[in-house]
């Protein structure tokens, strides 16, 4: 087990790779009264086409199967696992994203019982045609609920325009039609391929003794037999070109604009450079469009945008994009202004050294505030996107970003980006 101390945060992180391939992170928090556990597999909604374990040919499964599998793992022959966590005084949940599925618990008592239960219920699948049919109706209702949410439809519409004919264009939960196609056999094939310990990680943080907890986790895993791991061959997000100018009529009071900037598929391979790339482009957006920027103030005073204005930079192993969303009476005009602003960032009056230093300090302040959240820390570690670089390396890398470095990474993004907008108009 490796131990590493981080001077800037005062954290000590222990990392252990078990014999079965499972990576375990231990972050002791002796001053806390709560323990948080997150068990993650590198398997999300994008992974619908892959070579199943023991096979030689790629196979495509229905959209939403990763999310469906997440739901079904909680149901066992003897009942719902959530009730067992409740009996221990713990809360539990799970979530599926584009590239991962995570199962969690949070508790102030019965820590080891909860760790044991988390490992066991995720590693002991129980799927039948009967309980699959029951779940299909539940998830179809969940899908319909999101269909009635205009903000969700806005973001989903933008993704479908940025990455058409790819899994990113599909709802993480799937569609009513794709959900009906899922079988118990499909779930087992997906589970056996992606839920091998070598494709998973466990993050535990709280007021526990690290050596005792590590021995406990090892004992749990040594009791279980797993087949030999094979490299997973997945179909990546690729191919189709963005589709511009798509719109939707919906029950809204004011038009909604979503503007997307798709980065080229190839990302830096060096872990440090990859995190620099993401931080640089986040800071670029802050400089150009933050609430203290000249452009935001001008647009706000002109009545072009309101407090709904927001932006972000999303990045995963196989895709990355920037997005801006706002409710506005003049979506076409706002879209044109924002696109031109990003393309000409080098001559923007807010793109300067003093402003960058202010925003770096704000980012660092938000970072240190986030260290109070066990959930946030665990989620950062479970993503596994930066290799040997992790969440606790951020202060050092952030402090080393100069305007020249930010400009270099921004130029790579802006020169190769493809731009689309998606607008929802009132019916």
């Amino acid at each position: 087990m490796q131990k590493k101390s981080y001077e800037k945060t005062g954290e000590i992180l222990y990392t252990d790779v078990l014999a079965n391939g499972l990576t375990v992170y231990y972050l002791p928090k002796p001053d806390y009264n709560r323990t948080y556990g997150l068990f993650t597999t590198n398997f999300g909604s994008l992974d619908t086409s892959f070579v199943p374990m023991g096979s030689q040919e790629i196979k495509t499964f229905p959209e939403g199967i990763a999310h469906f599998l997440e739901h079904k793992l909680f149901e066992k022959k003897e009942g719902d696992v959530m009730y067992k966590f409740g009996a221990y005084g713990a809360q539990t949940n799970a979530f599926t994203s584009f590239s991962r599925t995570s199962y969690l618990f949070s508790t102030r008592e019965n820590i080891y019982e909860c760790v044991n239960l988390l490992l066991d219920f995720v590693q002991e699948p129980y799927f039948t045609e009967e309980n699959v049919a029951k779940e299909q109706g539940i998830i179809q209702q969940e899908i319909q609920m999101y269909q009635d949410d205009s903000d969700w439809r806005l973001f989903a519409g933008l993704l479908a325009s940025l990455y058409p004919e790819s899994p990113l264009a599909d709802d993480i939960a799937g569609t009513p039609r794709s959900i009906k196609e899922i079988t118990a056999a499909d779930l087992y094939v997906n589970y056996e391929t992606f839920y091998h310990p070598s494709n998973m990680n466990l993050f535990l943080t709280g007021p526990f003794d690290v050596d005792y907890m590590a021995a406990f986790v090892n004992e749990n895993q040594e009791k279980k037999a797993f087949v030999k791991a094979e490299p997973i061959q997945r179909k990546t997000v690729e191919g189709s070109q963005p589709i511009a100018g798509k719109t939707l009529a919906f029950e809204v009071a004011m038009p909604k604009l979503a503007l997307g900037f798709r980065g080229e598929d190839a990302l830096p391979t060096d872990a440090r450079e990859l995190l620099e790339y993401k931080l640089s482009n986040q800071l670029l957006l802050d400089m150009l469009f933050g609430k203290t920027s000249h452009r935001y103030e001008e647009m706000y005073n002109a009545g072009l945008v309101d407090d709904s204005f927001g932006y972000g930079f999303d990045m995963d192993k196989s895709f990355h994009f920037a997005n801006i969303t706002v409710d506005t009476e003049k979506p076409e005009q706002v879209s044109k202004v924002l696109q031109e602003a990003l393309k000409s960032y080098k001559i923007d009056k807010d793109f300067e050294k003093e402003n960058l230093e202010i925003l770096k300090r704000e980012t660092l302040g938000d970072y240190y505030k986030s260290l109070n959240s066990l959930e946030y820390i665990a989620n950062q570690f479970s993503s596994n996107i930066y290799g040997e670089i992790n969440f606790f390396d951020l202060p050092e890398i952030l402090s080393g970003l100069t305007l020249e470095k930010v400009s270099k990474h921004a130029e790579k993004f802006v020169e190769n980006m493809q731009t689309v907008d998606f607008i929802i108009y009132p019916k």
Side-chain angles (χ1 to χ4, degrees):
M1 184 161 57
Q2 295 181 343
K3 173 184 177 182
K4 187 172 181 179
S5 300
Y6 295 86
E7 293 182 5
K8 290 185 180 294
T9 62
E11 303 287 357
I12 301 176
L13 179 70
Y14 298 81
T15 306
D16 198 9
V17 180
L18 307 189
N20 60 18
L22 178 66
T23 299
V24 189
Y25 301 104
Y26 302 100
L27 182 68
K29 288 280 193 178
D31 296 332
Y32 281 62
N33 61 5
R34 189 163 58 93
T35 294
Y36 186 84
L38 190 70
F39 198 14
T40 298
T41 175
N42 298 311
F43 169 51
S45 66
L46 300 185
D47 301 309
T48 53
S49 296
F50 58 91
V51 177
M53 182 175 287
S55 178
Q56 300 296 322
E57 297 182 359
I58 195 165
K59 184 176 180 180
T60 298
F61 292 85
E63 298 96 340
I65 194 164
H67 173 259
F68 198 105
L69 200 159
E70 170 222 310
H71 274 233
K72 291 315 305 165
L73 273 181
F74 280 91
E75 186 172 349
K76 307 300 179 187
K77 189 173 184 179
E78 61 274 16
D80 195 321
V81 174
M82 287 191 173
Y83 294 116
K84 291 187 177 182
F85 277 107
Y88 289 137
Q91 295 176 319
T92 186
N93 211 332
F95 59 87
T96 302
S97 68
F98 295 127
S99 59
R100 59 193 174 104
T101 307
S102 295
Y103 304 83
L104 61 93
F105 75 84
S106 176
T107 188
R108 287 183 171 87
E109 54 186 329
N110 300 310
I111 297 171
Y112 296 97
E113 289 84 352
C114 290
V115 172
N116 200 60
L117 181 56
L118 177 67
L119 291 168
D120 287 351
F121 97 81
V122 173
Q123 293 183 325
E124 295 173 1
Y126 173 71
F127 311 130
T128 67
E129 294 301 340
E130 291 75 18
N131 66 31
V132 166
K134 173 186 172 184
E135 196 68 33
Q136 286 170 337
I138 296 172
I139 294 182
Q140 285 170 354
Q141 291 178 354
E142 181 180 334
I143 293 170
Q144 186 56 51
M145 179 181 68
Y146 285 110
Q147 292 295 321
D148 296 333
D149 185 324
S150 60
D151 287 328
W152 183 90
R153 293 290 294 272
L154 182 70
F155 189 67
L158 178 65
L159 282 180
S161 297
L162 281 173
Y163 297 92
E165 300 176 16
S166 82
L168 270 172
D170 302 320
D171 187 343
I172 288 176
T175 66
R177 181 176 179 178
S178 70
I179 293 304
K180 286 183 179 179
E181 297 173 354
I182 295 174
T183 66
D186 289 338
L187 294 179
Y188 275 114
V189 170
N190 280 254
Y191 181 90
E192 289 163 2
T193 301
F194 293 105
Y195 279 74
H196 192 281
S198 61
N199 190 50
M200 304 183 73
N201 65 76
L202 172 67
F203 189 95
L204 295 170
T205 180
F208 51 75
D209 178 270
V210 172
D211 290 332
Y212 187 88
M213 180 65 81
F216 182 84
V217 171
N218 266 281
E219 182 182 359
N220 175 286
Q221 293 299 283
E222 286 173 353
K223 293 177 181 177
K224 301 171 183 176
F226 299 95
V227 299
K228 184 179 179 180
E230 299 176 3
I232 301 174
Q233 301 177 50
R234 320 173 194 229
K235 185 177 180 180
T236 57
V237 176
E238 58 185 13
S240 61
Q241 294 299 305
I243 302 174
K246 296 187 72 174
T247 63
L248 173 70
F250 202 71
E251 296 290 348
V252 292
M254 183 186 297
K256 289 177 172 288
L257 166 69
L259 185 59
F261 306 91
R262 173 177 167 175
E264 65 175 352
D265 294 338
L267 284 163
T269 55
D270 178 76
R272 178 175 290 270
E273 186 180 357
L274 186 62
L275 184 53
E276 279 189 356
Y277 180 78
K278 181 177 183 181
L279 289 173
S280 294
N281 283 295
Q282 286 177 332
L283 288 166
L284 174 68
L285 297 179
D286 289 335
M287 286 190 277
L288 299 182
F289 307 121
K291 294 295 175 70
T292 59
S293 68
H294 289 89
R295 180 165 289 96
Y296 175 79
E297 184 179 2
E298 290 167 1
M299 290 191 299
Y300 188 89
N301 291 336
L304 292 176
V305 302
D306 57 18
D307 291 338
S308 66
F309 185 86
Y311 57 87
F313 188 82
D314 291 271
M315 187 170 77
D316 213 305
K317 290 180 179 179
S318 59
F319 67 89
H320 68 287
F321 61 90
N323 70 91
I324 304 174
T325 58
V326 64
D327 297 349
T328 176
E329 294 287 3
K330 299 180 178 179
E332 298 91 348
Q333 180 181 346
V334 172
S335 176
K336 185 177 180 180
V337 169
L338 296 175
Q339 289 185 51
E340 183 58 36
L342 190 54
K343 291 175 183 176
S344 58
Y345 75 91
K346 290 183 180 180
I347 60 173
D348 194 285
K349 53 189 171 184
D350 284 316
F351 190 74
E352 51 89 28
K353 182 178 179 180
E354 184 178 350
N355 191 27
L356 174 62
E357 293 303 318
I358 291 172
L359 291 170
K360 282 168 59 178
R361 289 195 293 271
E362 288 183 2
T363 302
L364 198 58
D366 291 339
Y367 169 83
Y368 282 114
K369 188 186 298 183
S370 73
L371 293 179
N372 293 320
S373 170
L374 302 182
E375 294 88 339
Y376 187 82
I377 296 172
N379 282 325
Q380 299 309 304
F381 272 90
S382 66
S383 63
N384 252 350
I385 186 174
Y386 301 109
E388 70 273 14
I389 298 295
N390 66 51
F391 179 63
F392 294 138
D393 293 307
L394 187 146
E396 178 193 347
I397 294 176
L398 180 65
S399 64
L401 286 179
T402 62
L403 191 65
E404 290 73 26
K405 279 188 177 181
V406 170
S407 184
K408 181 192 76 170
H409 291 301
E411 184 174 3
K412 176 177 172 58
F413 174 66
V414 172
E415 282 193 351
N416 297 288
M417 71 185 184
Q418 295 173 285
T419 306
V420 302
D421 58 23
F422 181 80
I423 303 173
I424 293 181
Y425 289 102
K427 278 189 175 181

